[in-house]
Amino acid sequence: MSVYGKLSLARVMLQQRDLKKTGNNKFAGYKYFELGDFMPAINDIFNNIKLCGIVSYGADAANLTIVDIEDGSTLVITSPMAE
């Protein structure tokens, strides 16, 4: 399976988890996900399907490189950085 296929599988597996939002904005009255709410699940899923996520930061963009540790193929997701 390609890195794209594995990422698609990981997304479905994450949706099947019963994740709880622990962040709470008392002023605007809404809850939100904090990193600790979903990162353990993502790490577990990536480990099971043999993916590795590496985050890097540049001056203008942040990158998430997803590596398929079985065949070495990669996928890079880029997001602009703000001050």
Side-chain angles (χ1 to χ4, degrees):
M1 184 181 308
S2 72
V3 68
Y4 291 96
K6 287 184 176 185
L7 179 58
S8 180
L9 176 61
R11 288 174 173 173
V12 170
M13 292 171 74
L14 184 62
Q15 287 176 331
Q16 293 171 345
R17 301 274 178 117
D18 186 27
L19 300 178
K20 303 292 184 205
K21 296 178 182 179
T22 61
N24 185 18
N25 185 317
K26 295 177 185 176
F27 300 105
Y30 65 87
K31 291 193 170 277
Y32 56 90
F33 287 111
E34 294 186 342
L35 282 175
D37 298 333
F38 58 85
M39 283 307 300
I42 290 172
N43 290 335
D44 183 52
I45 292 167
F46 270 33
N47 184 58
N48 288 334
I49 60 178
K50 309 243 186 302
L51 290 176
C52 178
I54 302 163
V55 177
S56 61
Y57 301 96
D60 299 323
N63 295 311
L64 169 61
T65 303
I66 300 172
V67 181
D68 182 331
I69 60 175
E70 292 183 309
D71 69 8
S73 61
T74 63
L75 167 65
V76 179
I77 300 170
T78 301
S79 177
M81 295 283 286
E83 290 186 28

